[in-house]
Amino acid sequence: MALLDILRYPDPRLHKIATPVTEFGTERLRTLVADMADTMYDAPGVGLAASQVDVHEQVVTIDVTEAQDDLMVFINPEITWSSDERAVYDEGCLSVPGVYDGVERPSRVKVRAFDLEGKEFTVDADGLLAVCIQHEMDHLKGKVFVEYLSPLKRNRIKAKLQKEERGLAREAAQRGARR
């Protein structure tokens, strides 16, 4: 399968709202999920939303196991219940490399979604899985976890990543000029 390019914050495409998947069981959907899984594992990460790879459809891959051997695929996910109890977890994001910060979310959620063939299922999640599901579903709504942080932190992160991006672009241009 192919490794996909992950959009980096503050890319405006990360704020596009994903549309529901309407055709299940297609080769295109299978390929997208396989490529997303390969990209997520390679990064390495525990979750990836299609929005992060510039495919604005409601598709999420998650694997929170240490062995990376339990891939979960959520298509058109919907949180049907969340606990009143909240917890703060240090979150990171493949679209915001090197940045981790505390985000408060419901500590438990119930999610309804569809698999690759369009079969509906539900998952009761807590701990890291609950955090990951909520984080990835935010991407489908066009929201990046840094938006939960203070404007000061968010602006610092944006400036840092933009500076890194300019440095990477300069290096690539210099390599191209040497050829």
Side-chain angles (χ1 to χ4, degrees), residues 69-140:
D69 61 358
D70 189 21
L71 181 68
M72 302 175 80
V73 177
F74 297 84
I75 300 174
N76 301 341
E78 176 187 355
I79 294 175
T80 59
W81 175 85
S82 59
S83 66
D84 291 333
E85 179 188 341
R86 299 178 69 80
V88 176
Y89 291 90
D90 258 1
E91 294 188 26
C93 181
L94 297 177
S95 292
V96 191
V99 175
Y100 299 88
D101 212 319
V103 175
E104 183 179 298
R105 299 183 185 272
S107 61
R108 292 175 294 140
V109 294
K110 180 179 271 194
V111 180
R112 178 176 54 228
F114 296 88
D115 66 13
L116 280 166
E117 302 306 317
K119 182 178 178 217
E120 187 176 303
F121 65 94
T122 60
V123 171
D124 291 315
D126 61 6
L128 179 58
L129 180 58
V131 171
C132 194
I133 288 169
Q134 293 172 83
H135 176 108
E136 301 308 331
M137 286 182 66
D138 276 350
H139 280 297
L140 301 180

Side-chain angles (χ1 to χ4, degrees), residues 13-87:
R13 293 172 291 178
L14 288 168
H15 298 292
K16 284 186 177 179
I17 296 172
T19 60
V21 171
T22 57
E23 293 184 30
F24 296 88
T26 65
E27 190 58 37
R28 187 193 71 77
L29 185 59
R30 279 189 201 39
T31 299
L32 173 63
V33 166
D35 291 349
M36 285 175 60
D38 287 346
T39 302
M40 177 185 75
Y41 289 132
D42 184 70
V46 295
L48 187 66
S51 299
Q52 292 176 269
V53 294
D54 205 19
V55 176
H56 301 282
E57 297 176 29
Q58 294 179 8
V59 179
V60 168
T61 57
I62 293 176
D63 188 343
V64 295
T65 63
E66 287 288 325
Q68 296 186 324
D69 61 358
D70 189 21
L71 181 68
M72 302 175 80
V73 177
F74 297 84
I75 300 174
N76 301 341
E78 176 187 355
I79 294 175
T80 59
W81 175 85
S82 59
S83 66
D84 291 333
E85 179 188 341
R86 299 178 69 80

Side-chain angles (χ1 to χ4, degrees), residues 112-176:
R112 178 176 54 228
F114 296 88
D115 66 13
L116 280 166
E117 302 306 317
K119 182 178 178 217
E120 187 176 303
F121 65 94
T122 60
V123 171
D124 291 315
D126 61 6
L128 179 58
L129 180 58
V131 171
C132 194
I133 288 169
Q134 293 172 83
H135 176 108
E136 301 308 331
M137 286 182 66
D138 276 350
H139 280 297
L140 301 180
K141 298 172 192 162
K143 189 168 186 173
V144 181
F145 93 97
V146 296
E147 293 169 44
Y148 288 100
L149 308 178
S150 73
L152 177 65
K153 280 186 179 181
R154 192 168 49 251
N155 288 334
R156 284 182 178 165
I157 291 165
K158 183 188 268 186
K160 174 185 177 235
L161 292 176
Q162 286 173 326
K163 183 178 178 183
E164 287 175 8
E165 197 67 32
R166 285 191 300 272
L168 292 172
R170 264 194 309 277
E171 288 175 17
Q174 289 170 349
R175 280 193 304 274

